[in-house]
Amino acid sequence: MDWKKALKAHVAGKPTRSEEEKRAEETQLFTELYCQWKGVQPNRQVGANSSQQHESFKSIPKFYFKLPAEDEVLQQKLREESRAVFLQRRSRQLLDNDELQSLWFLLDKHHTPPLMGDEKMINYEDFLKVSQEAGPKCKTYFTATVFAKLLQKDPYGRISIMQFFNYVMRKVWLHQTRIGLSLYDVAGQGYLKEADLENYILELIPTLPQLDGLEKSFYSFYVCTAVRKFFFFLDPLRTGRIKIQDILACSFLDDLLELRDEDLSKEMQESNWFSAPSALRVYGQYLNLDKDHNGMLSKEELSRYGTGTLTPVFLNRVFQECLTYDGEMDYKTYLDFVLAMENRKEPQALQYIFRLLDIQNRNYLNIFALNTFFRAIQEQMKIHGQEPVSFEDVKDEIFDMVKPADPLKITLQDLINSSQGETVTNILIDLNGFWTYENREVLVQENPVDDLENFGEGEEV
C-alpha cells in the first residue's frame, strides 16, 4: 500500500474547515474539560458571563482595578479627583489643634493621683472616662493595647498622661504627613518616584524658616541634594521609587522638618544633611573640584576629593561602575559618591563601595581583589617615601577583623555583620585612611579624645 497516496486521499476527502470553525471546536472542547474540572454542568455557559451565573462569585468582591492608560485622559482625571477627595476625607478625620488641646485638658482633668514626681498619671478606669468625653475621633487611641504599651513600672498601674499625649501627637503627625506625601503619589500605588519627591520638597522649602536664606536659583540644586539622600538609602536597588511607608519609617523626614525650628543651633545645622549650610558645603565642594568649570567632574578632578588620597585604582572603578557622561560625573552621581564616602558605617554605603571593590563581579572579595586595591596603597606609600607594608600581613588582619563565613571569601553581608566595613574600606581605597589605621595606637596616645572620635575617618571635608 502506498501510504502517501492513501494519506493524501484521506485529507482530500475531509471537508475543509475555516479558522472560525476550528476555534469554535477548540473552545467547546476546553469548555467541556473546564466544566468537568469545576464540577459545573456542561450545558452552563463558561465564559465572560460565568462569574455572574456561578453562586460563589456573588460573594467575591472585585480586587483588581487596572490603572488607566496615558491616553485615557478622562479616566486619569477621575482617578486623581477621587484620590484627592479620599485624602481630604481622611484628613478631616484627624484631630486638629483645638481638638488636641481639648484632649490635653481632659487628660489633665481626669489624672489619677498621686503624682509621680512632677508627672501626672492616669489609670485605666480614668483613661476610659476620658475616652467617653473625648469624642469619636479619639476612639482609636483609647484602646487597651495602647494603654498596655505605655504602661511602665508604676505601682498603681498607671501611665503618664504626657507620654500618652505625645503618642497621640506623633500618630496624628504621621497620618498628616502620609496624606501630604500621598498627594504627590501620581500613580496612587503607595510610592513616590524621584520627580514626585522633588515636587514635595520644592513646595516644602517656603515652610522651612532655616532655608529662608537660600536663593531661588539654588533651589534646584538643594532639591537634588535632599532627594539623593532619600533614594541612596531607601532605594539601594535603584528601582527609581520609594515606598511612602519607608519614608515615614526613617528619620530623614524628621531631619528635614527639623528645619522648621527657627532657633536650630549651628552644630545641629552642620550635622543635618538637609540644612542650608550642609547643602552649600556639598555643592561648594563640587564647584571647587570642577577646575575646568564645565559642570562635570573628570577622574582627575575627583581625585582631589577629601584629602586627595583616594587611590587611582579605586577612582577608575568609580568611573567604570557609576553613571557618567562622556567619561565625566554629574552632580547627582557625585552626591551618591559623597553619601557613600561620608557614611561608610551604613549598609547602603558599604553596598555602594563593595560593588566597586568586586572587580570580578562575583559578589564576594577574594585575595586577588584585596591585592589589586592594596597594591595601589603600596605604590602611593613608595611615592611618599614610606616603606610599603606587606600585603600578607594586611590581608590576614582584614580576614581576622571580618571573620567571614568562608575563610577565603568576604561577602557584603560578612562586611556588614562584622561592623568593620568602614575600617576595611579605608585600608583598601584611601592612603590617609590606611595610615590612620596603621598608626591608630600612636594617634590615641597623642590625642586620646579627638582620635577616638575620628578613628577610621580617613578624610577631611
Side-chain angles (χ1 to χ4, degrees), residues 84-142:
V85 171
F86 168 74
L87 293 172
Q88 288 172 5
R89 186 168 67 248
R90 292 300 299 268
S91 182
R92 288 194 296 268
Q93 293 172 0
L94 300 177
L95 298 173
D96 58 29
N97 290 333
D98 291 337
E99 289 167 327
L100 284 169
Q101 191 172 11
S102 299
L103 175 61
W104 174 253
F105 287 146
L106 287 172
L107 289 168
D108 186 61
K109 174 184 174 183
H110 291 283
H111 79 272
T112 310
L115 296 179
M116 181 69 72
D118 295 332
E119 198 167 7
K120 294 182 178 180
M121 314 291 285
I122 189 169
N123 62 22
Y124 190 63
E125 185 179 346
D126 293 327
F127 182 75
L128 293 178
K129 289 180 183 177
V130 176
S131 173
Q132 295 296 324
E133 297 183 27
K137 282 188 179 181
C138 298
K139 291 291 182 184
T140 55
Y141 308 112
F142 286 89

Side-chain angles (χ1 to χ4, degrees), residues 289 291 297-305 315 319 327:
L289 292 173
K291 287 300 181 182
L297 296 184
S298 65
K299 194 184 306 178
E300 182 181 352
E301 290 170 331
L302 188 64
S303 67
R304 295 184 297 104
Y305 172 81
L315 291 171
F319 279 81

Side-chain angles (χ1 to χ4, degrees), residues 370-371 373-383 385-398 427-428 430-431 433-440:
L370 299 181
N371 188 32
F373 286 94
F374 191 72
R375 193 162 57 239
I377 295 287
Q378 291 174 319
E379 291 171 0
Q380 285 203 344
M381 292 180 74
K382 291 178 183 178
I383 294 173
Q386 300 175 3
E387 185 67 26
V389 178
S390 167
F391 168 70
E392 289 298 321
D393 294 339
V394 172
K395 179 255 296 181
D396 291 341
E397 288 186 41
I398 290 175
I427 291 172
L428 295 174
D430 187 352
L431 176 62
F434 172 73
W435 184 88
T436 303
Y437 170 75
E438 191 69 8
N439 296 275
R440 60 196 180 281

Side-chain angles (χ1 to χ4, degrees), residues 224-261:
C224 181
T225 305
V227 168
R228 280 326 299 162
K229 181 161 188 177
F230 282 94
F231 274 85
F232 182 83
F233 285 99
L234 301 181
D235 183 32
L237 298 179
R238 305 295 182 260
T239 62
R241 62 189 192 183
I242 307 175
K243 289 182 180 179
I244 292 176
Q245 187 175 351
D246 292 340
I247 296 176
L248 294 171
C250 75
S251 63
F252 300 156
L253 208 55
D254 290 329
D255 295 340
L256 181 60
L257 298 178
E258 193 178 59
L259 303 179
R260 288 175 174 172
D261 184 0

Side-chain angles (χ1 to χ4, degrees), residues 130-164:
V130 176
S131 173
Q132 295 296 324
E133 297 183 27
K137 282 188 179 181
C138 298
K139 291 291 182 184
T140 55
Y141 308 112
F142 286 89
T143 64
T145 303
V146 172
F147 189 90
K149 285 180 179 179
L150 298 175
L151 189 61
Q152 301 297 322
K153 295 181 180 179
D154 181 70
Y156 302 99
R158 304 170 301 173
I159 64 172
S160 164
I161 65 170
M162 179 58 74
Q163 286 184 2
F164 174 71

Side-chain angles (χ1 to χ4, degrees), residues 194-225:
E194 197 164 338
D196 302 331
L197 194 55
E198 285 175 352
N199 291 332
Y200 173 75
I201 292 178
L202 182 62
E203 295 183 20
L204 196 65
I205 291 177
T207 69
L208 305 174
Q210 288 293 340
L211 301 181
D212 286 345
L214 286 182
E215 296 183 6
K216 289 193 175 182
S217 59
F218 185 68
Y219 277 11
S220 60
F221 295 101
Y222 174 82
V223 168
C224 181
T225 305

Side-chain angles (χ1 to χ4, degrees), residues 11 22 24 64 77 91 103 113 128 193 253 259 306 335 343 410 414 416 438 445:
V11 171
K22 291 178 181 178
Y64 175 71
K77 288 292 183 184
S91 182
L103 175 61
L128 293 178
K193 294 182 179 179
L253 208 55
L259 303 179
L335 287 171
N343 300 275
I410 297 176
D414 290 331
I416 294 171
E438 191 69 8
Q445 291 173 5

